[in-house]
Amino acid sequence: MTVLWEPVRGAIDTFGIALGDDVTVVAHAASIDREVGSGDHHLVVIGPEVPAESAYELAEQLRIDRPAVGVVLLRHRLEVSVLTQALRSGIREVVQADDHAALVDAVRRSEALSARLGVAAGEPGSGGHVVTVFSAKGGVGKTTVAVNLAAHFATTGARTLLVDLDLMFGDVGISLQLPPTTSIMDLVSMTGHLDGQGLASVVQTHEATGLDVLVAPHDPADADRVPADLVSELIRLARSTYDYVVLDMPPSMPEHVLGAFDLSDLLVLVSTLDIPAVKNLRLAINTLDTLGAPQQNRLLVLNRADLKVGLSAKDVESAIGYPVSVGLPNTMSVPAASNRGVVLAVDEPKNPFATALREFADHKVRPRFGEEPTRNGSRRIGRRRRAK
Ligand SMILES: Nc1ncnc2c1ncn2[C@@H]1O[C@H](COP(=O)(O)OP(=O)(O)OP(=O)(O)O)[C@@H](O)[C@H]1O
Ligand SMILES: [Mg+2]
């Protein structure tokens, strides 16, 4: 299916025959991300009335964001300067607007290339899901939830990358006992031109689960050297090659975290039954609301939900304003697993924490993306839809 970007009315009458039946016409660039994000569109045709600079900008973004989506540019006149700039920005072809036969050919070539790229990227990886695990208080179980969730996805066959964005004190690497070799620091020199090969060269694979992991800098002093732009670039690239990108967060909201929120399809908010955790999470949610983050893309996880500490799940729900999607039990098996470098949800499948976590992943997270789990936990991917 094709998106035709043209602000002038009647474009569908002019180009409809050349573009075929499945065309969605949009007047603004802002609508394009939503259309291509649905995963159904593999071609954006930019009409002759769209300013060339805006066309280049969109093509540059799509090249990183959704490499399988092709861009064809229509111009009233073909000029060398436009052709050169178009090629540089990643536009596949520039076609004279009144040459409908050339447009038909360009569409066909672009669709063939998109089909090959889609397969290379491992569908549905070209539009993977970004799941961010956050709380505004330290020690509530963000890393525990992120690691278990990501590892569970990986063991069910989903290509999954876990990124430790707690840049100062990230402990994903140590809790999975990965050797301290590469880290996100190794990507800093690639900022602005990060590609799949670069990312693959720094990712480590957790052998027992097949989970790919990108760990935080080994030295907390390096945290400031990781630009927020790199983090956004990394997430965009990762979601074009993985089915799931799980982000483990610090208990604060620096710039790179805000950038990651913007790119997240789902926010998993973690709280425990203590007033500081609940209060801080409420304040963080207020900030997200103020920033215009979509409110429907949030799920609340109550960790150590069975502790009798005078605060109930109902109290947390009314303070936070979201229902508790899952209550995870308090169990010494959690720290014991991380001390052994194993993932509880995978290593001890019958443990109550593991069953609750998997239930959450399979019945609360996956359905958000149109995926239904089968009985043995493997994936059945239905019509994909972004939670946004
Ligand atoms: N359900 C649980 N039962 C028992 N212990 C748990 C549970 N969840 C987490 N823990 C333990 O609590 C500690 C903190 O958990 P974790 O590191 O996941 O929290 P965090 O929110 O990521 O912390 P930080 O903000 O420091 O990154 C760890 O030692 C972990 O093993
Ligand atoms: Mg943590």
Side-chain angles (χ1 to χ4, degrees), residues 38 44 53 68 112 123 133 192 200 203 214 273 314 340 374 377-378:
S38 70
V44 178
E53 288 304 327
E123 289 287 3
V133 183
V203 156
L214 181 54
L273 288 166
K314 283 264 163 292
R340 284 184 290 132
T374 55
S378 63

Side-chain angles (χ1 to χ4, degrees), residues 170-374:
D171 43 19
V172 167
I174 203 144
S175 72
L176 290 172
Q177 290 186 3
L178 297 171
T181 49
T182 53
S183 81
I184 195 171
M185 272 309 287
D186 300 301
L187 296 181
V188 171
S189 62
M190 303 181 209
T191 304
H193 48 89
L194 181 62
D195 59 17
Q197 222 177 341
L199 177 60
S201 71
V202 298
V203 156
Q204 291 174 274
T205 303
H206 183 246
E207 293 299 333
T209 57
L211 173 66
D212 278 357
V213 183
L214 181 54
V215 305
H218 303 299
D219 183 349
D222 284 337
D224 285 347
R225 294 175 52 206
V226 179
D229 282 352
L230 170 66
V231 172
S232 297
E233 190 180 358
L234 160 69
I235 296 168
R236 287 198 177 97
L237 176 70
R239 77 176 176 194
S240 72
T241 48
Y242 286 91
D243 298 328
Y244 281 94
V245 181
V246 178
L247 307 176
D248 183 23
M249 292 297 197
S252 55
M253 297 168 103
E255 200 186 340
H256 76 277
V257 168
L258 295 177
F261 283 154
D262 272 349
L263 295 169
S264 298
D265 298 305
L266 181 66
L267 210 52
V268 174
L269 302 166
V270 185
S271 183
T272 42
L273 288 166
D274 61 290
I275 287 173
V278 174
K279 182 212 77 176
N280 290 359
L281 189 53
R282 182 63 253 173
L283 292 176
I285 290 172
N286 292 348
T287 308
L288 289 171
D289 290 346
T290 311
L291 295 172
Q295 300 184 352
Q296 70 279 16
N297 297 345
R298 301 173 191 161
L299 291 176
L300 177 60
V301 169
L302 191 57
N303 192 20
R304 302 175 142 156
D306 51 345
L307 290 180
K308 303 284 174 260
V309 286
L311 202 67
S312 70
K314 283 264 163 292
D315 297 329
V316 177
E317 288 182 335
S318 63
I320 301 290
Y322 287 90
V324 170
S325 287
V326 65
L328 300 172
N330 182 56
T331 163
M332 289 320 285
S333 305
V334 170
S338 92
N339 287 345
R340 284 184 290 132
V342 299
V343 181
L344 190 57
V346 176
D347 201 58
E348 292 176 43
K350 293 204 172 127
N351 184 291
F353 178 98
T355 49
L357 192 287
R358 288 200 315 272
E359 172 82 9
F360 170 67
D362 292 341
H363 296 282
K364 296 290 161 86
V365 177
R366 283 179 176 169
R368 291 258 168 170
F369 305 114
E371 291 182 15
E372 288 169 35
T374 55

Side-chain angles (χ1 to χ4, degrees), residues 137-144 146 164 166 169-172 248-251:
K137 183 170 176 281
V140 299
K142 295 178 291 299
T143 301
T144 302
D164 193 342
D166 187 349
F169 297 115
D171 43 19
V172 167
D248 183 23
M249 292 297 197

Side-chain angles (χ1 to χ4, degrees), residues 3 69 93 101 123 132 179 234 364:
V3 180
V69 174
E93 304 210 20
E123 289 287 3
T132 296
L234 160 69
K364 296 290 161 86

